[in-house]
């Protein structure tokens, strides 16, 4: 049961961000939405910790 | 004045004039059951087998035709076995284990229910609901022959219910006119649109899913569709937003098309229209007869309380779920199993009236679990928003290549009985190292014992003290309630250790008549068993 990490944790943030945007290149909005959905599911499974996931959902939702 | 609302599959209890119709004053009955669907029939059977006089009133003369339940779970078979008709279900039913899930034109994966070994009954059978009801009725006839005080009156419709503190008065309509009776207890098993519930002005709240399903039962002599459950999301043949194909006995297949909310029912039910959908799916050359078809919309809802004084609701009258997961009739049968022994003890004055409140508590808990599961399945199958549709399809796409996503695919989580964790009647867990699956509140899992099975050896309608390598008296009486011991040793069956002992060297289980665990210990302690037994009968 780890806590959700909210301090900087990406070793190369600019690179990750560029890769994320590049992954969507040339896709329609619908295709992009589908990619995002797949990505979330893959990452959620990797995290696996339901408390961390619930906390992440809560924070993401509160920014909306 | 007296019109059938549906056609009959089997005419089982033709109308016959009863003495009550000519009585000067309303005749009195101890227990009246309204409704002869599966739940009403099972209730009459349960009480009648205990020797309690029970009168069942149904507004038809037998079992309705139509596409309703087809999947019956192990727990239902185990309960039916206690009623004496478990084997019949399995003999007639189709046993299946394999399921395949498709998206568009691709098979994304298949699954095996992988039923655990060492159970008398399979995880599931498919059987048309009319057969299920007929077998229950045949058992009622067999029990009547042995003297069980069960009476069924066909074409007796309950038109009015007057509720009193200590019972009810009912106005009953027949083809020859009306009559009035009174009863100490009324069990309302009159289905999802329960007239009893409406006459009493009671709530039935929940969620309606904005989609319709066209259900067609077809008979084909086809070798190309095996005994498996096939489920398509967004099938290439475009006959529905989802489609289910499932085998039933008598060469009949259930086909279930999700056809959308705004449909012209009359148009969709035209035979040519149904055949067009089926032909697109099966391929042009396949010949079949259309046995039955209908259009359903689904809802998940329940009453706030299942007990209202001397009126008790069971089955669809109390709670309704979408069929994904086969939790309707299966959960209703668990209601009956839960209520039967409790009402029996109260009728005999061996337990206080408040024992019936635990029916309300435990079965509402069961209904909530079923509603939760079937709501989740329905939301997966019929996504409500664009984003939930995107996620649903993302799951399906990933599931084709990655194991992890298969656990997220939800085309129905099949019915299993619930555990009454932390509820009023559930007692102590004093078996260190005991398996989680048999903690207090759990339904007993079956286990092989020599040539037979454990569940067949439990109870005979009463409480059981199951001892494994532990000493205890053969019988035990507390305040009018007898507990009978079943003495076993870990070596008596290969699954006993895993299912009942876990890390413990010995175990003592107090089991209720419905084969749920009340409490468990590592050794027999008379005072502790006495306390647990009183607790399980709501005596303190
Ligand atoms: C398409 C579909 C598929 C399903 N599949 C499954 C499945 O696979 N597995 C599963 O477990 N469940 C399934 N179900 C649910 C299952 O059919 C129901 O849960 C079950 O029929 C409920 O039984 P019941 O006895 O409570 O009510 P009902 O079967 O509705 O019986 C009620 C009875 O009461 C009678 N009655 C009504 N009013 C009066 C009155 N005023 N006086 C006297 N009698 C009256 C009626 O005539 C009827 O006989 C499915 C349902 C549908 C629609």
């Amino acid at each position: 049961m780890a806590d959700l990490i909210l301090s900087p944790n990406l070793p190369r943030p600019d690179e990750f961000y560029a890769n994320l945007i590049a992954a969507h290149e040339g896709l329609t909005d619908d295709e992009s939405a589908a990619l995002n959905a797949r990505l979330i599911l893959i990452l959620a499974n990797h995290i696996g910790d339901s408390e961390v996931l619930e906390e992440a959902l809560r924070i993401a939702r509160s920014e909306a | 004045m007296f019109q059938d609302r549906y056609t009959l599959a089997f005419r089982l209890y033709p109308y016959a004039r009863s003495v009550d119709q000519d009585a000067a004053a309303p005749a009195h009955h101890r227990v009246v059951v309204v409704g002869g669907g599966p739940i009403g029939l099972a209730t009459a059977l349960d009480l009648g087998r205990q020797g309690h006089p029970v009168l069942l009133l149904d507004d038809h003369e037998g079992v309705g035709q139509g596409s309703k339940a087809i999947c019956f779970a192990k727990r239902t078979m185990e309960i039916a076995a206690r009623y004496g008709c478990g084997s019949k279900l399995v003999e007639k039913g189709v046993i299946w284990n394999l399921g395949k899930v498709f998206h568009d034109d691709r098979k994304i994966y298949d699954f095996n229910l992988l039923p655990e070994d060492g159970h008398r009954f399979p995880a599931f059978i498919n059987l048309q609901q009319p057969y299920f009801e007929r077998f229950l009725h045949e058992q009622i006839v067999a029990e009547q022959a042995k003297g069980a005080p069960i009476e069924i009156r066909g074409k007796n419709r309950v038109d009015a219910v007057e509720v009193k503190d200590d019972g009810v008065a009912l106005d009953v309509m027949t083809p020859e006119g009306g009559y009035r009776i009174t009863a100490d207890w009324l069990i309302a098993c009159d289905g999802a649109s329960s007239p009893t519930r409406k006459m009493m002005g009671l709530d039935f709240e929940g969620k309606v899913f904005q989609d319709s399903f066209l259900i067609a039962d077809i008979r084909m002599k086809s070798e190309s569709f095996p005994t498996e459950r096939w489920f398509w999301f967004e099938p290439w043949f475009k006959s529905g937003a989802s489609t289910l194909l499932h085998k039933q006995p008598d060469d009949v297949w259930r086909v279930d098309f999700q056809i959308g909310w705004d449909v012209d029912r009359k148009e969709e039910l035209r035979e040519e229209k149904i055949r067009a959908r089926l032909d697109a799916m099966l391929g042009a050359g396949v010949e079949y007869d259309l046995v039955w078809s209908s259009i359903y919309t689904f809802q998940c809802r329940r009453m706030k309380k299942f007990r209202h004084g001397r009126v008790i609701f069971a089955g669809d009258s109390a709670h309704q779920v979408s069929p994904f997961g086969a939790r309707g009739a299966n959960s209703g049968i668990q209601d009956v199993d839960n209520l039967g022994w409790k009402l029996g003890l109260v009728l005999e004055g061996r337990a206080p009236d408040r024992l019936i409140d635990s029916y309300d508590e435990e079965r509402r808990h069961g209904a909530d679990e079923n509603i939760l599961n079937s709501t989740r399945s329905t939301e997966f199958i019929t996504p409500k928003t664009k984003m939930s549709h995107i996620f649903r399809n993302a799951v399906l796409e990933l599931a084709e290549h990655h194991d992890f996503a298969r656990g997220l695919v939800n085309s129905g989580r099949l019915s299993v009985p619930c555990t009454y964790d932390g509820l009023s009647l559930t007692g102590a867990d004093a078996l260190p190292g005991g398996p989680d699956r048999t903690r207090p509140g759990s339904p007993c899992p079956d286990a092989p014992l020599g040539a037979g099975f454990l569940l067949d050896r439990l109870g005979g309608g009463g409480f059981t003290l199951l001892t494994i390598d532990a000493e205890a008296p053969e019988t035990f009486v507390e305040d009018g309630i007898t507990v009978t011991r079943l003495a076993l040793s870990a070596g008596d069956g290969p699954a006993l250790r895993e299912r009942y002992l876990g890390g413990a060297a010995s175990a003592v289980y107090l089991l209720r008549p419905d084969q749920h665990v009340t409490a468990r210990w590592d050794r027999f302690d008379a005072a502790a068993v006495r306390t647990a037994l009183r607790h399980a009968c709501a005596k303190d």
Side-chain angles (χ1 to χ4, degrees), chain B residues 31 61 70 98 507 521:
Chain B
V31 182
E61 293 183 316
I70 58 164
L98 212 63
W521 305 268

Side-chain angles (χ1 to χ4, degrees), chain B residues 90-402:
Chain B
V90 185
E91 277 155 27
K92 181 72 194 174
V94 170
I95 297 173
W96 62 277
N97 292 316
L98 212 63
K100 288 192 177 135
V101 180
F102 303 85
H103 187 201
D104 195 355
D105 58 352
R106 300 180 309 282
K107 185 180 92 181
I108 46 180
Y109 69 100
D110 38 42
F111 62 88
N112 194 321
L113 290 178
L114 273 185
E116 191 182 53
D117 281 343
H119 292 253
R120 174 173 165 198
F121 292 105
F124 275 93
I125 54 164
N126 283 1
L127 180 72
Q128 291 90 331
Q129 183 166 335
Y131 280 121
F132 181 64
E133 296 181 38
R134 195 181 84 187
F135 296 153
L136 288 172
H137 182 264
E138 283 172 4
Q139 192 61 31
I140 287 178
V141 173
E143 299 293 338
Q144 285 169 328
K146 288 189 267 175
I150 306 171
E151 185 184 351
I152 302 185
R153 294 184 190 164
K155 283 212 162 144
N156 273 239
R157 185 181 69 217
V158 174
D159 275 352
V161 180
E162 190 188 318
V163 182
K164 304 172 179 170
D165 286 348
D166 58 351
V168 294
L170 304 174
D171 287 332
V172 184
M173 183 51 71
T174 76
E176 297 181 299
Y179 66 103
R180 196 174 168 84
I181 53 172
T182 57
D184 291 338
W185 294 91
L186 180 68
I187 320 298
C189 307
D190 46 358
S193 53
S194 171
T196 306
R197 196 182 62 226
K198 287 185 185 147
M199 289 184 279
M200 290 174 66
L202 298 169
D203 60 277
F204 197 46
E205 278 158 27
K207 210 177 201 175
V208 179
F209 293 100
Q210 307 247 314
D211 222 312
S212 325
F213 290 79
L214 170 72
I215 295 185
D217 285 335
I218 59 176
R219 183 175 291 111
M220 54 179 178
K221 300 259 190 243
S222 169
E223 302 300 312
S224 56
F225 294 98
T227 306
E228 299 171 356
R229 178 186 196 264
W230 288 11
F231 194 99
W232 286 265
F233 292 96
E234 304 177 328
W236 59 273
F237 46 81
K238 306 284 181 218
S239 301
S242 69
T243 297
L244 173 72
L245 176 74
H246 219 173
K247 177 89 168 64
Q248 305 175 57
D250 304 338
D251 299 314
V252 173
W253 300 81
R254 161 72 47 93
V255 187
D256 192 337
F257 298 115
Q258 179 190 346
I259 60 172
W261 179 241
D262 283 318
V263 291
D264 178 344
R265 288 177 163 242
K266 221 167 138 201
E267 168 66 15
E268 294 300 341
L269 281 171
R270 277 194 9 233
E271 177 155 353
E272 308 87 271
K273 190 85 199 240
I274 298 174
R275 282 187 175 271
R277 287 186 193 273
L278 287 163
D279 291 346
M281 166 186 177
L282 300 170
V286 179
E287 288 200 20
Y288 56 87
D289 302 322
L290 205 51
V291 178
W292 187 265
S293 59
S294 43
I295 290 180
Y296 292 93
T297 56
F298 295 135
Q299 36 247 305
C300 286
R301 49 188 180 170
R302 73 158 168 86
M303 296 178 73
K304 278 204 197 72
K305 285 171 56 200
F306 297 174
R307 175 187 189 182
H308 292 265
R310 291 294 186 91
V311 184
I312 299 166
F313 292 83
D316 275 14
S317 70
H319 46 74
Q320 197 184 8
V321 292
S322 77
F324 303 107
R327 288 163 183 267
N330 285 309
S331 69
I333 293 296
Q334 292 164 41
D335 291 350
V336 177
D337 192 30
N338 190 291
L339 180 62
W341 66 273
K342 294 175 180 175
L343 189 56
L345 287 179
V346 171
L347 286 168
E348 289 156 19
R350 294 196 290 143
D353 173 277
R354 66 172 177 273
L355 181 58
I356 306 298
D357 292 338
S358 73
Y359 162 79
D360 185 75
E361 182 196 32
E362 292 180 341
R363 295 315 301 160
R364 274 195 278 137
H365 175 80
D368 284 343
E369 190 172 295
N370 289 317
I371 287 173
L372 181 73
N373 276 294
S374 83
T375 301
R376 286 173 172 175
S377 306
T378 313
E379 310 230 280
F380 192 87
I381 295 165
T382 67
K384 295 296 160 310
T385 62
K386 184 163 180 201
M387 192 43 75
S388 80
H389 192 219
I390 288 170
F391 270 112
R392 199 279 304 273
N393 283 4
V395 167
L396 295 175
E397 284 155 18
L398 290 169
E400 194 176 343
H401 305 290
H402 305 287

